[in-house]
Structures are given as structure tokens and as C-alpha cells.
Amino acid sequence: MRVIINSNYQQCAQWAAEYVAYKIKAAHPTKEKPFVMALPAGSTPLGMFEALISMFKKGKISFQNVVFFNMNEYVGLAPEDKNSFNYYLWDNFFQHIDIRKKNIHLLNGQTKDFMQECASYEKLIRSYGGIDLLIAGIGEDGHIAFNEPGSSLGSRTRVKALNRNTIRANARFFNNNENLVPKLVVTMGVATIMDADEVMLIATGDKKADAIRCAIEGSVNHMCPVSILQMHPHALIVCDEEATSKLQSDIVRYFNDNENTKFGRKI
Ligand code: GLP
């Protein structure tokens, strides 16, 4: 696992965006062999999206040969609903860049047949040869995508019920009214995430410090689903100092030392 510790949110956003651009360029994607990404929602990736949009506007990066999947969606919300993750990705990212519409694959929270929706999503990912770079956020309780504590670490894309912590945390997007937060979601499973060639997780702020401690220092456990990244051969955590505030000082020093030398640095 690589852990990149930046001083603040803005630096994390910039680092993550530069890494994404580096990975896309290094893959030399074409129409026939596109670069495949999966994207999260939430407030954390917004700075990275802004930085990527700015790089695109300066002509430094193109997304024409990039395929996008999303990680999760609320059950029952239409794509036009401002709280849907569908709307979120179009509003904050896709509408500002040179994507091809046919390269965008977002989970449908309004389907009548979720079994079918989830099975075809998995199939579609496989048809591209899998995800090259999956970007994830992290819940305060250690969830990844919408895989809540207690989720099977072998799970695939499916419908899940949210727990009370997540409903409370996400109420800020629903007029601070917990009753308006959908209770069901459709989400990539933990095993779906683990199948990606590389997983980059972004975590910022004190609120994520407990989850980051579980992710890095805890044992692999379904009570902290994100801890599964310890088993991933290419897991990269991009975080700020606040998010590392509950880690042991020697592990923080270890990551800082290694990322300060050329060894291990990929960009
Ligand atoms: C949500 C979403 C995730 C997101 C996470 C963190 O519940 N399911 O996609 O990564 O929680 O959100 P935020 O970045 O707003 O803290």
C-alpha cells in the first residue's frame, strides 16, 4: 500500500488529479483500447474534479478515450434528481470535459430489475477487460462505495441498505433531513472494487481519521470494509495530515520517508 500524505485538502486534490492524468497518458488509450475508470461521489473528490477540468481546459489532458463507471447510486432517485450520483457526476465533471457519452456507464437507481442491472453492470466492466483505475472515497465508518460495515468482503454489485451513521452523514445533501435520504442504494461490491487494477482512495479531514486508522492499521475485517485494501496489490491512499492524525507516528514517518525518495514515487 502507498500512502501519500499531503498538508491539506487542496494539495490532495491536485496530487490526485495529476496522478489520474499521468495514468491516462501512460496508458495511451485509444477508441479500441480505452482507459477504464470508476468514480466515487461525495464532497471529497470535488477538488480533484476541478483540477482535472482545469487541466483539460489548458489542453493538458483529454478524456475522449476514457470509459467511466460509477460506484454507487441511491435506489429510487432519477438521474435528474440533484441528489443522485448520476446528476452529481454530470454536474461536477462530465459536462465540463471531452467525454464520449457512450463511454459513460452509471448505475440506474430506478430500474425495475436490480438483479439484472447489477449482473449487466458487472458484465459490462468485464467486457472492457476490467477497471484500470478505481477512485474511491471513504465513509466515516470505514465504508467504501456503499459497502457498509458488515458487508461481505466477497460481495459484487448489489442493492444494500444504508446504516444510520451514513444516513446521518449524508443528510447534509438532503436539507439536513434524514427522512429524505433514501435507505436503499445500489453499489459495486467489495470484490468488484478489489478486481480493479489499481485503487486510489482519497480521504481528508479529521472526520476520516478513525476510518483511515482502521484502513491502514486495523486487521482486515468486514466491520471496516475499506480495510480490504490491505490485500490489494496496488492500493494508493491520498490523504491530508488531519486524516492521518490517529495513525501511529512511526507508520506516518515510514510513508513520508518513502514518498520523499524517488523509490516508490510513480510521478
Ligand atoms: C458516501 C458515498 C461514497 C463516498 C463517501 C464519502 O456515502 N457512498 O461514494 O466516498 O460516502 O463521502 P464524502 O467524500 O462526502 O465524505
Side-chain angles (χ1 to χ4, degrees):
M1 176 182 281
R2 294 181 69 198
V3 180
I4 314 290
I5 306 169
N6 293 285
S7 349
N8 54 43
Y9 175 86
Q10 210 40 52
Q11 280 186 17
C12 282
Q14 192 60 36
W15 199 99
E18 280 174 23
Y19 191 70
V20 169
Y22 159 77
K23 291 294 288 190
I24 293 174
K25 284 184 198 163
H28 301 293
T30 59
K31 222 170 169 183
E32 294 69 38
K33 183 77 188 86
F35 188 73
V36 184
M37 293 183 65
L39 298 176
S43 42
T44 312
L46 290 173
M48 176 192 72
F49 290 143
E50 271 174 35
L52 283 170
I53 293 165
S54 150
M55 283 180 205
F56 162 69
K57 288 189 172 155
K58 289 178 188 153
K60 292 184 177 168
I61 181 81
S62 165
F63 298 92
Q64 281 209 352
N65 294 321
V66 180
V67 165
F68 293 102
F69 285 87
N70 76 340
M71 307 256 289
N72 44 25
E73 182 55 283
Y74 289 109
V75 166
L77 295 197
E80 308 78 48
D81 189 309
K82 290 197 168 169
N83 283 315
S84 72
F85 290 164
N86 220 291
Y87 185 94
Y88 164 97
L89 284 173
W90 275 102
D91 192 41
N92 293 300
F93 192 38
F94 297 149
Q95 65 160 324
H96 306 285
I97 57 172
D98 61 338
I99 37 105
R100 288 183 221 269
K101 231 176 163 187
K102 69 171 190 51
N103 282 350
I104 296 190
H105 306 294
L106 307 179
L107 281 160
N108 177 4
Q110 283 201 314
T111 179
K112 289 202 172 70
D113 187 346
F114 278 100
M115 290 278 274
Q116 171 62 30
E117 170 75 11
C118 296
S120 354
Y121 207 62
E122 293 270 345
K123 203 171 157 196
L124 195 58
I125 293 172
R126 279 198 303 276
S127 75
Y128 282 105
I131 294 166
D132 296 306
L133 177 63
L134 180 144
I135 303 177
I138 183 172
E140 290 170 32
D141 57 3
H143 73 229
I144 182 162
F146 266 136
N147 295 286
E148 298 283 35
S151 291
S152 160
L153 298 182
S155 53
R156 315 276 344 167
T157 305
R158 70 220 183 286
V159 170
K160 282 291 289 179
L162 294 183
N163 68 25
R164 291 180 190 194
N165 286 334
T166 303
I167 292 171
R168 209 169 298 132
N170 288 4
R172 69 201 144 109
F173 300 112
F174 294 82
N175 295 330
N176 288 316
N177 184 346
E178 291 179 23
N179 296 322
L180 297 179
V181 183
K183 308 295 175 282
L184 293 179
V185 291
V186 54
T187 179
M188 273 186 190
V190 178
T192 319
I193 293 168
M194 289 294 283
D195 278 351
D197 280 357
E198 182 167 14
V199 177
M200 175 168 81
L201 184 138
I202 313 174
T204 56
D206 282 330
K207 280 187 174 171
K208 300 293 170 73
D210 283 318
I212 283 296
R213 184 180 52 193
C214 291
I216 296 174
E217 294 180 359
S219 44
V220 174
N221 191 308
H222 72 162
M223 292 312 289
C224 178
V226 72
S227 63
I228 193 71
L229 292 184
Q230 294 171 27
M231 307 286 289
H232 197 290
H234 300 291
L236 168 61
I237 297 185
V238 182
C239 53
D240 65 0
E241 283 167 7
E242 286 187 1
T244 63
S245 57
K246 294 194 175 170
L247 292 181
Q248 294 170 30
S249 54
D250 49 353
I251 192 77
V252 170
R253 195 179 317 127
Y254 173 77
F255 288 129
N256 276 331
D257 284 352
N258 282 314
E259 292 304 334
N260 282 336
T261 62
K262 259 195 163 174
F263 175 74
R265 259 218 191 271
K266 290 183 183 163
I267 59 170

